[in-house]
Amino acid sequence: MISCSEAVQQLWDYLENEVAEADRAAIEQHLAFCRRCCGEVEFAEELQSVLASAAEIELPRAVERRLTSALDGLDSERSQAQATDHGGTA
Amino acid sequence: MVGPHLPALYGLACQLVGDRAEDAVQEALVKAFRKYEQLEDPGAIGAWLRTILLNHVRDTVRRDERHLDEIPVEQVDDTRSLYRRIADEDPLPYSDTLHLDFLSCFSVPDVWAVLDDLPDHYRTPLVLVHMYGVPTREAAKALDVPLNTLLSQLHRGRKRFEQSLWDYAETNDLLRERDGAAP
């Protein structure tokens, strides 16, 4: 049976499915009886949610305007190229 | 179709290349338009754009930067987790849900401030994998390092992030404010 500190060292990798099958089984065996390490798992999951929820930053207006205008430019270039292709093959 | 993905792309680029983010996103968009026919599943356009941005950053913007493999390995104390520290020090004595309440003290700008203080070689893998959900193999490829290097930087980065959350909460009185609000 692995110790709490061995389990805790691997918890995030466990949550990311980055541990070997034998290690996964050892961690799950430990979690089955260790309440404190179950709390560690729940906390690590919550910490991951905190990180994921901070992913989308508000796009500064000026940046949004420039990127949208670049997108429009690319879109019209593509439409023109398609029109030329179709004209050439017609 | 691309517009709704701009905030996430820009946020990711900010983390990867700082003030060169806008240029990086724009150049990635140009590449995406050129290879638009290669997009097999329009429903997966977000992940597809993210991969193009990651490849662009790896191949151009970060080419001259220090490689993750060259960063000396730093020992981190991974015997005491943040979970354990919160339980031991009990910073919110009125709380019945101590650990969740600790995390809820952090606003989104607080989380960014903590991340911004981490060294780049810890922050980048953490942001890619845990914030933007990039699979570890794709993140290793994007950063041009073996998977094992990425995983070990991720491990150290998470420990540093946990330590920094605690330090930030103390330095900025987040816990006292929260505790003071309790009955």
Side-chain angles (χ1 to χ4, degrees):
Chain A
M1 181 81 68
I2 60 172
S3 65
C4 287
S5 64
E6 284 173 302
V8 166
Q9 278 173 27
Q10 301 179 80
L11 279 187
W12 283 68
D13 291 335
Y14 167 75
L15 291 174
E16 288 293 321
N17 288 321
E18 292 292 352
V19 290
E21 202 46 53
D23 293 331
R24 165 169 290 278
I27 293 167
E28 284 173 357
Q29 189 187 24
H30 182 89
L31 291 175
F33 83 91
C34 183
R35 201 181 197 180
R36 189 170 63 184
C37 285
C38 287
E40 293 263 11
V41 171
E42 284 169 22
F43 183 67
E45 285 175 330
E46 201 58 41
L47 202 45
Q48 285 188 337
S49 311
V50 167
L51 274 172
S53 63
E56 282 210 8
I57 62 168
E58 199 174 329
L59 205 54
R61 285 240 172 107
V63 173
E64 184 178 16
R65 235 186 348 260
R66 287 193 293 269
L67 287 176
T68 307
S69 142
L71 274 176
D72 291 344
L74 288 166
D75 228 359
S76 60
E77 262 177 45
R78 220 162 74 89
S79 305
Q80 278 174 9
Q82 280 172 344
T84 311
D85 281 354
H86 289 146
T89 53
Chain B
M1 210 170 167
V2 172
H5 300 285
L6 287 180
L9 283 176
Y10 182 72
L12 178 57
C14 283
Q15 280 300 306
L16 291 169
V17 295
D19 57 9
R20 291 170 291 174
E22 186 178 341
D23 287 343
V25 171
Q26 208 170 111
E27 285 154 20
L29 290 176
V30 170
K31 288 183 178 173
F33 266 74
R34 282 191 195 136
K35 51 168 86 172
Y36 188 73
E37 285 68 26
Q38 293 173 21
L39 173 62
E40 289 170 3
D41 174 11
I45 190 168
W48 183 72
L49 289 168
R50 186 188 67 202
T51 301
I52 292 173
L53 174 67
L54 289 174
N55 290 342
H56 171 72
V57 168
R58 179 197 62 204
D59 293 342
T60 56
V61 189
R62 291 169 70 98
R63 193 188 290 153
D64 54 344
E65 290 182 4
R66 205 168 167 208
H67 204 266
L68 265 186
D69 270 347
E70 298 164 22
I71 309 280
V73 174
E74 180 193 334
Q75 292 305 315
V76 292
D77 174 14
D78 55 8
T79 53
R80 194 184 185 203
S81 64
L82 177 58
Y83 177 84
R84 190 80 58 86
R85 186 170 192 174
I86 294 169
D88 290 347
E89 302 202 17
D90 195 9
L92 303 167
Y94 295 106
S95 170
D96 294 330
T97 50
L98 177 61
H99 293 87
L100 294 182
D101 285 349
F102 174 86
L103 290 180
S104 68
C105 292
F106 291 84
S107 65
V108 169
D110 290 327
V111 174
W112 281 102
V114 173
L115 285 168
D116 282 345
D117 264 356
L118 293 180
D120 185 49
H121 57 280
Y122 290 137
R123 189 183 65 245
T124 307
L126 201 60
V127 162
L128 285 179
V129 174
H130 294 303
M131 187 175 266
Y132 289 94
V134 178
T136 47
R137 277 160 192 78
E138 193 183 336
K141 197 174 154 203
L143 297 171
D144 200 19
V145 291
L147 180 61
N148 281 343
T149 303
L150 187 277
L151 290 177
S152 95
Q153 293 298 62
L154 204 48
H155 180 75
R156 292 187 179 85
R158 288 188 295 243
K159 299 317 293 182
R160 283 286 296 265
F161 178 61
E162 289 191 1
Q163 286 165 14
S164 300
L165 280 174
W166 179 271
D167 295 343
Y168 183 91
E170 282 197 323
T171 310
N172 293 279
D173 275 343
L174 297 189
L175 302 172
R176 190 180 304 169
E177 281 168 25
R178 177 70 184 231
D179 202 29

